[in-house]
Amino acid sequence: MALIITDECLNCDVCEPECPNQAISMGESIYVIDPARCTECVGHFDEPQCVQVCPVDCIPVDPAHVESKETLWSRYRRLQAQAPSANGVPGAVVPR
Ligand code: SF4
Ligand code: SF4
C-alpha cells in the first residue's frame, strides 16, 4: 500500500526529507505522496518514516493503493535500479 497525506497536513516540512524514496513533495496546498514511489518504506525501514515523524498523524494508508508486500519490494528494487550511483550511472556498481 502507498500512504496518503490528508488535508490535516500542517505543511510543517518534517516528513519530506525523511522519505528514502523521494516520494513526498509539496502539492498545490499541502504535501502529497507519489504512489509510484512510496514503498511504505519497505526495503529501507521497518516502519513508514513519514508516519513516524508526522506531528498530527495525518498519513494513513491510501485505500486506493492497496498493494502486496511483493509489489512494494518490486517497486523498491525498481527505484534502486533507477537511482543514480556515485559515478552518475543509474544502477551502476562503483568499484572500490
Ligand atoms: Fe516515503 Fe516511506 Fe512515507 Fe512512503 S511510507 S512516503 S516511502 S517515508
Ligand atoms: Fe504534513 Fe505531517 Fe508531513 Fe508535516 S509531517 S508536512 S503535517 S504530512
Side-chain angles (χ1 to χ4, degrees), residues 5 8-16 31 50 53-56 58-59:
I5 295 174
E8 291 167 77
C9 173
L10 305 172
N11 292 336
C12 73
D13 308 332
V14 170
C15 58
E16 192 252 337
Y31 276 85
C50 54
V53 299
C54 180
V56 291
C58 70
I59 316 179

Side-chain angles (χ1 to χ4, degrees), residues 5 8 11 18 26 28 38 41 55 58-59 69 71 75-78 80 83:
I5 295 174
E8 291 167 77
N11 292 336
E18 298 299 325
M26 189 63 197
E28 279 186 24
C38 176
C41 285
C58 70
I59 316 179
K69 271 275 194 281
T71 299
R75 179 171 303 140
Y76 165 75
R77 287 191 288 267
R78 177 176 57 78
Q80 289 301 110

Side-chain angles (χ1 to χ4, degrees), residues 42-60:
V42 163
H44 293 280
F45 300 100
D46 290 338
E47 300 288 337
Q49 296 301 287
C50 54
V51 174
Q52 298 281 307
V53 299
C54 180
V56 291
D57 200 17
C58 70
I59 316 179

Side-chain angles (χ1 to χ4, degrees), residues 3 57 82 88:
L3 305 187
D57 200 17
Q82 289 172 353

Side-chain angles (χ1 to χ4, degrees), residues 67-87:
E67 296 160 321
S68 69
K69 271 275 194 281
E70 187 45 52
T71 299
L72 296 170
W73 272 108
S74 297
R75 179 171 303 140
Y76 165 75
R77 287 191 288 267
R78 177 176 57 78
L79 290 169
Q80 289 301 110
Q82 289 172 353
S85 65
N87 67 358

